[in-house]
Amino acid sequence: MQRERALSDYKTYRYFRPSELRNPHKQLASFFEEEDVESLKSEINDFFKTACDEAYEYGNSLRYPATHQNCFKLLELAYTLKNSNENFTLQNDHKLYRSSDAVFTQAFQENIELLFPLVHLRLLSAAEINDITFFLSEFFEYKSLYEWHELLDNLLRCANGDTVLEKIYNRSSHIILVKEYVEKLIEAMYLIYQTKSINYKSESTEGKKEALSAEIENAIIEYLRYFK
């Protein structure tokens, strides 16, 4: 059985320093304060399509390195949270608890408007949403952290035109499955952000507001002093 590397082992992580992952929720809150979940999915789709196509580039090719980096961030945060033994189970009265996998079909048939943030969770199953640990465990059983790093590096190489992904992995079905895993990872981390990490964003935002208010107050005082 392969031994999981300790958080202190710097080689495990390619983007974050171990000290930055002592509070992964703070990092996740900061991430989704800057990134939009649907834009991430769209960029991943373009990233994969370009990596698989010798002739065309999809989306904004200047964004490929940023997409690669965003995947690394979410990957390493997911790995840290998966190994944290934190309880991610949603109670059945939680607003994001899902009782059925048919929620989107039902909404379409009955013309029900799905509210934010539920509308962003389209790929995860009800069981995965209600306890995201199931998905995180499956994700890292499918590939180790090192293998995910290697795959993302190969994606960037292919998107830059060095080679084509199918020449590395040979099976198109494998690539389709990998793409779905990465898209589900985005949803999984967004779910954790909404249920756990968003409190850190609130604290950060309040801190910025207070700092801005103090700055404005000082500016007004200086302004009035100047015209005394």
Side-chain angles (χ1 to χ4, degrees):
M1 188 175 185
Q2 188 177 2
R3 180 181 67 86
E4 292 285 2
R5 293 177 181 176
L7 183 63
S8 59
D9 185 354
Y10 181 76
K11 293 178 182 178
T12 302
Y13 297 90
R14 291 263 306 277
Y15 179 82
F16 288 107
R17 293 189 297 271
S19 61
E20 293 175 315
L21 291 172
R22 288 174 186 153
N23 190 337
H25 288 294
K26 186 175 181 180
Q27 297 293 344
L28 194 57
S30 176
F31 180 86
F32 280 110
E33 194 171 16
E34 301 294 332
E35 302 293 339
D36 173 72
V37 63
E38 294 301 330
S39 295
L40 286 168
K41 288 183 186 178
S42 178
E43 289 180 350
I44 285 293
N45 188 48
D46 291 335
F47 194 39
F48 268 86
K49 286 196 298 182
T50 302
C52 294
D53 196 319
E54 292 181 287
Y56 296 98
E57 288 183 351
Y58 297 87
N60 181 0
S61 60
L62 296 176
R63 287 285 304 167
Y64 297 160
T67 302
H68 174 265
Q69 187 179 81
N70 282 336
C71 287
F72 264 56
K73 290 179 185 179
L74 293 180
L75 176 67
E76 294 179 2
L77 287 169
Y79 181 79
T80 304
L81 289 165
K82 194 266 290 187
N83 291 326
S84 69
N85 296 320
E86 188 170 351
N87 182 10
F88 294 108
T89 304
L90 299 184
Q91 300 301 315
N92 56 14
D93 60 348
H94 193 281
K95 66 177 181 180
L96 290 179
Y97 182 88
R98 189 172 292 180
S99 58
S100 168
D101 284 326
V103 61
F104 284 95
T105 303
Q106 182 182 1
F108 176 76
Q109 291 174 343
E110 300 178 15
N111 197 27
I112 300 171
E113 183 180 358
L114 292 174
L115 301 177
F116 166 87
L118 178 63
V119 70
H120 297 305
L121 306 176
R122 299 187 293 275
L123 296 174
L124 293 170
S125 69
E128 290 168 336
I129 286 175
N130 296 339
D131 188 353
I132 202 60
T133 306
F134 292 141
F135 170 73
L136 295 180
S137 298
E138 180 187 332
F139 184 88
F140 287 107
E141 283 172 9
Y142 181 69
K143 287 187 182 296
S144 68
L145 180 61
Y146 173 81
E147 289 170 331
W148 279 114
H149 278 150
E150 185 179 46
L151 188 145
L152 290 170
D153 285 341
N154 285 332
L155 268 175
L156 186 59
R157 282 178 53 216
C158 295
N160 287 336
D162 298 338
T163 183
V164 179
L165 207 58
E166 288 183 350
K167 291 181 180 178
I168 300 175
Y169 295 106
N170 298 320
R171 292 181 294 116
S172 58
S173 58
H174 169 73
I175 297 170
I176 292 169
L177 182 59
V178 163
K179 177 175 174 288
E180 183 177 327
Y181 265 120
V182 174
E183 288 175 328
K184 287 180 77 172
L185 176 68
I186 293 171
E187 289 193 2
M189 299 310 287
Y190 182 72
L191 174 66
I192 293 174
Y193 163 68
Q194 285 291 337
T195 55
K196 296 273 189 174
S197 310
I198 199 165
N199 294 331
Y200 290 90
K201 177 183 175 182
S202 299
E203 290 174 10
S204 172
T205 303
E206 286 304 315
K208 288 177 183 176
K209 284 181 181 177
E210 288 174 11
L212 183 60
S213 296
E215 188 177 329
I216 292 171
E217 185 178 344
N218 288 335
I220 292 172
I221 290 170
E222 287 299 317
Y223 178 83
L224 293 174
R225 191 177 291 159
Y226 179 80
F227 284 101
K228 255 188 179 178

